């Protein structure tokens, strides 16, 4: 029997056992979202998302300033594509 080689995956060197991490392509586009746990908005990612509610907030929205995001999105369209909805106010 032949074994397939996983050329796009590399074993993590951080002691995670059998966990494999996918390596981004060299010319990969910027991710649609970034982690929001540090609270500071990253450049180019103005959309705040609270995963537990499934709702994202845009700058100028009623609850934008008081939302502590789990993720920051570059566009509302990217958040919608991931299954989330925009705040109604």
């Amino acid at each position: 029997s032949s074994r397939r080689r996983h050329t796009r995956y590399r074993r993590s060197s951080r002691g995670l056992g059998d966990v494999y991490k996918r390596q981004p392509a060299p010319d990969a586009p910027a991710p649609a979202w970034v982690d929001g746990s540090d609270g500071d908005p990253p450049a180019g990612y103005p959309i705040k998302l609270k995963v537990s509610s499934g709702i994202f907030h845009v700058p100028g929205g009623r609850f934008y300033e008081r939302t502590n995001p789990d993720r920051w999105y570059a566009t509302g369209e990217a958040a919608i594509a991931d299954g989330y909805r925009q705040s109604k106010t």
Side-chain angles (χ1 to χ4, degrees):
S1 84
S2 65
R3 293 182 123 183
R4 290 181 62 174
R5 293 185 72 155
H6 294 281
T7 58
R8 299 182 106 180
Y9 294 85
R10 185 186 72 163
R11 184 173 287 240
S12 173
S13 62
R14 295 181 185 237
L16 297 176
D18 292 328
V19 176
Y20 288 83
K21 292 194 173 199
R22 185 169 185 167
Q23 299 301 308
D27 299 339
W33 63 271
V34 295
D35 184 58
S37 61
D38 67 359
D40 294 325
Y45 293 86
I47 309 296
K48 291 181 174 184
L49 171 77
K50 194 70 177 164
V51 174
S52 62
S53 69
I55 297 172
F56 66 88
H57 302 271
V58 297
R62 182 174 175 194
F63 298 106
Y64 185 83
E65 291 301 321
R66 68 173 161 175
T67 299
N68 294 317
D70 298 316
R71 295 180 181 176
W72 292 91
Y73 273 85
T75 66
E77 290 81 12
I80 290 169
D82 282 352
Y84 301 105
R85 72 169 181 84
Q86 184 173 345
S87 173
K88 293 180 180 177
T89 57

